[in-house]
Amino acid sequence: MAETLTQTVAQKPAAIVPPEHADRVELAIEGMSCASCAVRIEKRLNGLDGVAASVSFASEQAAVSFDPAAVSVQDLIGAVEAAGYHASLAGEALGEEDPARAYRLRLVVAALLSVPLAVLAWVTAAQFAGWEWVSLALATPVVLYAGWPFHRAAAINARHLVATMDTLVSIGTLAAWTWSTVVLLAGIGQDVYFDTAALITALILLGRYLEARAKRRSGEAIRRLLELGAKQARVLRDGQEVTIDAGDLKVGDIFVVKPGERVATDGVVESGSSAVDASMLTGEPVPVEVGPGDTVAGASVNASGRLIVRASRVGSDTALAQIARLVGQAQAGKAQVQRLADRVSGVFVPVVIVLSLATLAGWLLLGATVAAAFTAAVAVIVIACPCALGLATPAALMVGTGRGAQLGILIKGPETLEQTRQVSTIVLDKTGTVTEGRMSLTALVAAEGEDERELLRLAAGAESASEHPIAQAIAKHGRDRLATLPDPESFTSRAGLGVQAVVDAHGVMIGRPALLAEWSVRLPDALAVEAQRLEEQGASVVAVAWDGQARGLIAVADTIKPTSAEAIAELKRLGLQPVLLTGDNERAATAVARQVGIERVLAGVMPDGKAAEIRRLQQQGEVVAMVGDGINDAPALAQADLGLAIGTGTDVAIEASDLTLASGDLRAATDAIRLARRTLATIKGNLFWAFAYNVAAIPLAIAGILNPIVAAAAMSFSSVFVLSNSLRLRRFRSLRQGPA
């Protein structure tokens, strides 16, 4: 298995790297504020000759394939700069800068100054002579400093004749602040709206800050993967062990791996035999027996014997580095998801601006005073100011994610919610997701005339000296059932075959039939038939013999979680087609699938192959969700339209996913999809009513029926409605708690 893993992963670049005449680079992009920014950059890059680019707003990266004969890397960076953003080559430091940092201080300033500002504006008893001037002093740093990211983005967008959410926020806050400042300085005696300008800025900054925190995770997956590799290696030089940094290894170096140590890099075993735990790469709980000539993967763990290994791949060519690269490429190539508010605002904002100017001109032509005309024009801007629109997504997202956190579900952002509605197929990793991820004894079969209890006692006593997972499962079952086990008087482990030991003066052998055959011990026909039946059910079967005679069989398997069948039935009720995906053999995978109600099985799939299977399903028109827990699942989780990581699994899988389930219970996946869909429906409802309010109120403002203060009050009401609608998500119930 280790050899297959390394060979398969090593072959991956041939499938994902462009043709020989093309190069590929990853660009780190700075300055994107919404999904439409990513689309704009992508169009600019794809407009260059010989360039194919995919830009991810979530990871702030661009994956670019280009013809070096037509364009250079500097040309690519120049194209991004020309679009109004900053670009640089993405290196190993990817993700070290916290994208939330740009919002943190501005949010603190906005929150601290907006609270007293709201008190002054809303509490009549708190108003004193000259309170408006204090409001100006409080609102100015909020609007001009805290709101600067919105104003800057709006200016960039204006240069390219486009409008986004930032344009709405910038125009709304600046209009309210400018009008209020002019009124105050001119002494006109009109109402001021400093609180409106400040609170819009603070609330939308809060939403941006929460989204920016989620972006930080996109780079974590790759860094955590690379950290799993061995830090040092014991190299043999002139017969002596010399400790060096693992990064200094070269192809052909001979190094030593002692029991319990990580393999320093991909290589071929020169001498020694052992069981190597490659579960962090393969996801399978059973270590692989290796000996001279076998391939081992870097970062896998040597479980028992001492190995001498010749390095065959180092640095970026190792299986671990290839998986890290797959995660990064899958993240950068994710489908673009534009927020509904951004799409509508592209039309809505220019219309509002034109209507506001038309209102000003119309009232002046009708003979109204400048103050009256400007008041009506500002009312149009204020009534259209996107307070409710800005709250629509973050309010529902905060309540939904808060409720999710109570249920052990982490939702990473609004892009995740949009995908849950469209998912048609859900791919489930087997080990640790559908099954427990650890071996346990499932059957004990005594030969005719033999005592089952004695069979377990001697077998468990012999296996108690072994570190192999199958042996540990047998020994644990023996201790649980018998309380105490006899100590083996001697013990020998036979790599790939089994163990031999002397227990209570009996010569005990446990392992494959080949081990028994070495001592001319034949397995009776009845036991041979039973062994085949158990293996067809997906179990690993070992024969037990002592004193030259076969005494019985022991079956060990990775058991299915008790709630998996119920969870899969619920996924089907949600309209999803479940698919079992595993690196295990087809017989074991099919047995598990049959027990939990899954009809479609993809077995024997290695780490890079899992991501490829996800892509193949996507190319067939499926919108794919992936549930997994291992490092080997990380590329597939990142490639999927929706990735769900079992939180009891590895940090790498969690960071590469869109939804994280703290529970190992697969029913949490159904809860996550239901909650995400409910939250998305709430966001869409919020957006609809926010826009409907604007559409209905703008004509009243144009007609002069709504003055700015009434418009601001109406805007506040729409915000209250959005918040109240979002709070309904707190009543969401998990299936694990009972009916929703």
Side-chain angles (χ1 to χ4, degrees):
M1 183 181 292
E3 181 176 5
T4 305
L5 167 71
T6 307
Q7 290 175 344
T8 307
V9 172
Q11 293 168 358
K12 182 63 184 174
I16 60 177
V17 174
E20 293 181 357
H21 67 276
D23 286 346
R24 183 184 179 95
V25 295
E26 305 286 332
L27 298 179
I29 310 294
E30 296 179 20
M32 292 192 294
S33 60
C34 63
S36 58
C37 297
V39 174
R40 193 173 310 123
I41 296 170
E42 191 172 282
K43 287 182 178 178
R44 182 63 67 101
L45 288 170
N46 287 328
L48 299 175
D49 291 337
V51 173
S54 174
V55 180
S56 169
F57 170 58
S59 63
E60 296 184 320
Q61 278 188 278
V64 188
S65 301
F66 67 100
D67 184 355
V71 293
S72 65
V73 174
Q74 286 305 314
D75 292 330
L76 300 176
I77 293 175
V80 176
E81 298 282 348
Y85 306 89
H86 299 291
S88 59
L89 285 173
E92 293 185 356
L94 172 65
E96 288 185 359
E97 289 297 323
D98 185 356
R101 185 177 302 165
Y103 293 109
R104 189 177 296 119
L105 179 58
R106 298 180 192 275
L107 176 59
V108 171
V109 170
L112 291 177
L113 297 182
S114 294
V115 172
L117 188 57
V119 172
L120 285 174
W122 299 346
V123 182
T124 305
Q127 296 174 355
F128 50 85
W131 67 271
E132 295 94 338
W133 293 97
V134 175
S135 296
L136 172 61
L138 292 171
T140 299
V142 176
V143 174
L144 300 184
Y145 167 71
W148 173 247
F150 307 128
H151 307 319
R152 178 182 177 276
I156 293 173
N157 293 331
R159 273 191 2 230
H160 298 280
L161 302 178
V162 293
T164 66
M165 188 74 168
D166 292 311
T167 310
L168 289 169
V169 176
S170 180
I171 290 177
T173 55
L174 286 178
W177 179 85
T178 302
W179 167 257
S180 301
T181 302
V182 170
V183 165
L184 189 58
L185 293 176
I188 299 175
Q190 298 285 339
D191 293 303
V192 295
Y193 313 109
F194 291 120
D195 58 309
T196 299
L199 285 171
I200 290 172
T201 301
L203 289 168
I204 297 179
L205 267 176
L206 175 61
R208 289 290 175 84
Y209 173 72
L210 293 174
E211 291 177 14
R213 287 182 59 187
K215 287 183 185 179
R216 168 73 173 163
R217 303 179 189 276
S218 62
E220 291 289 337
I222 298 174
R223 283 208 308 279
R224 289 181 185 273
L225 270 173
L226 297 176
E227 288 171 359
L228 286 172
K231 303 300 184 291
Q232 294 183 319
R234 305 172 188 271
V235 181
L236 284 180
R237 289 180 177 165
D238 299 326
Q240 301 294 319
E241 291 185 19
V242 179
T243 301
I244 65 171
D245 289 339
D248 294 334
L249 278 170
K250 296 179 176 59
V251 174
D253 282 347
I254 305 294
F255 61 93
V256 178
V257 188
K258 295 183 177 180
E261 292 183 343
R262 290 190 181 276
V263 178
T265 192
D266 295 0
V268 178
V269 177
E270 293 284 302
S271 64
S273 60
S274 179
V276 174
D277 181 3
S279 60
M280 50 80 65
L281 291 171
T282 65
E284 301 307 321
V286 182
V288 179
E289 302 286 349
V290 298
D294 290 331
T295 302
V296 290
S300 55
V301 179
N302 180 14
S304 53
R306 182 175 184 266
L307 295 175
I308 306 297
V309 181
R310 180 184 298 275
S312 59
R313 295 186 181 90
V314 298
S316 61
D317 294 330
T318 64
L320 183 65
Q322 295 287 356
I323 291 176
R325 190 173 299 120
L326 286 170
V327 174
Q329 289 169 346
Q331 288 179 336
K334 271 191 182 246
Q336 304 304 313
V337 182
Q338 294 188 16
R339 290 179 178 82
L340 181 58
D342 283 329
R343 294 197 293 269
V344 176
S345 66
V347 176
F348 182 69
V349 175
V351 170
V352 169
I353 295 172
V354 170
L355 287 175
S356 179
L357 294 174
T359 300
L360 177 64
W363 279 103
L364 289 174
L365 289 173
L366 291 173
T369 64
V370 174
F374 193 68
T375 298
V378 170
V380 173
I381 291 291
V382 171
I383 203 72
C385 192
C387 188
L389 193 58
L391 281 172
T393 294
L397 187 61
M398 282 189 288
V399 179
T401 53
R403 181 59 181 146
Q406 293 175 336
L407 300 174
I409 300 167
L410 174 63
I411 302 173
K412 295 191 176 179
E415 297 90 349
T416 298
L417 306 177
E418 294 191 24
Q419 292 297 351
T420 60
R421 176 70 66 186
Q422 303 163 7
V423 167
S424 58
T425 299
I426 185 163
V427 177
L428 306 169
D429 171 54
K430 180 178 74 70
T431 306
T433 301
V434 176
T435 66
E436 295 286 359
R438 59 180 181 272
M439 308 298 287
S440 60
L441 192 148
T442 58
L444 189 66
V445 182
E448 185 177 356
E450 299 293 337
D451 179 64
E452 183 180 287
R453 186 180 180 87
E454 181 69 2
L455 173 68
L456 176 62
R457 190 180 75 88
L458 293 179
E463 295 283 31
S464 65
S466 173
E467 296 179 354
H468 196 286
I470 291 180
Q472 291 179 351
I474 295 172
K476 180 181 184 301
H477 188 84
R479 282 189 290 267
D480 292 344
R481 183 172 169 182
L482 305 175
T484 59
L485 298 176
D487 293 326
E489 299 167 23
S490 66
F491 176 85
T492 302
S493 177
R494 301 289 303 280
L497 292 175
V499 301
Q500 296 173 233
V502 176
V503 183
D504 281 357
H506 295 289
V508 180
M509 291 183 293
I510 307 172
R512 298 185 180 187
L515 177 63
L516 276 63
E518 288 185 2
W519 296 88
S520 301
V521 176
R522 177 181 169 276
L523 202 63
D525 292 341
L527 288 182
V529 171
E530 184 65 14
Q532 183 177 354
R533 186 187 69 82
L534 290 170
E535 287 176 347
E536 288 173 352
Q537 294 178 353
S540 297
V541 182
V542 294
V544 183
W546 63 80
D547 299 341
Q549 186 174 344
R551 309 288 180 167
L553 303 172
I554 296 178
V556 176
D558 180 11
T559 55
I560 296 171
K561 293 179 180 178
T563 58
S564 290
E566 178 187 348
I568 289 162
E570 179 61 26
L571 289 171
K572 290 180 178 179
R573 281 193 289 270
L574 289 173
L576 305 180
Q577 179 190 13
V579 176
L580 189 67
L581 180 66
T582 178
D584 207 347
N585 64 76
E586 186 170 355
R587 183 173 57 187
T590 302
V592 169
R594 185 169 55 248
Q595 294 178 62
V596 297
I598 297 177
E599 290 78 26
R600 190 172 181 183
V601 178
L602 300 173
V605 183
M606 291 295 101
D608 63 324
K610 290 187 176 183
E613 289 291 345
I614 298 294
R615 281 195 298 275
R616 186 174 61 79
L617 289 170
Q618 290 169 329
Q619 290 166 359
Q620 294 173 358
E622 301 288 344
V623 179
V624 183
M626 167 74 187
V627 186
D629 71 323
I631 291 172
N632 62 300
D633 300 320
L637 287 167
Q639 176 66 42
D641 298 289
L642 180 70
L644 296 92
I646 299 292
T648 51
T650 65
D651 289 343
V652 175
I654 293 170
E655 297 298 345
S657 67
D658 302 301
L659 283 162
T660 299
L661 315 174
S663 167
D665 188 338
L666 189 57
R667 290 180 300 176
T670 65
D671 288 336
I673 292 174
R674 289 174 53 246
L675 176 60
R677 287 181 174 180
R678 184 84 58 85
T679 305
L680 176 62
T682 301
I683 289 175
K684 289 186 174 181
N686 287 348
L687 290 171
F688 171 79
W689 287 111
F691 280 117
Y693 145 80
N694 282 325
V695 170
I698 286 175
L700 300 178
I702 293 173
I705 298 173
L706 291 179
N707 63 30
I709 192 65
V710 175
M715 183 184 63
S716 298
F717 172 77
S718 71
S719 300
V720 170
F721 172 82
V722 164
L723 287 170
S724 300
N725 191 44
S726 300
L727 288 172
R728 293 169 56 237
L729 288 167
R730 297 172 64 183
R731 298 201 295 266
F732 177 88
R733 287 184 62 83
S734 164
L735 292 176
R736 292 166 285 167
Q737 299 174 326

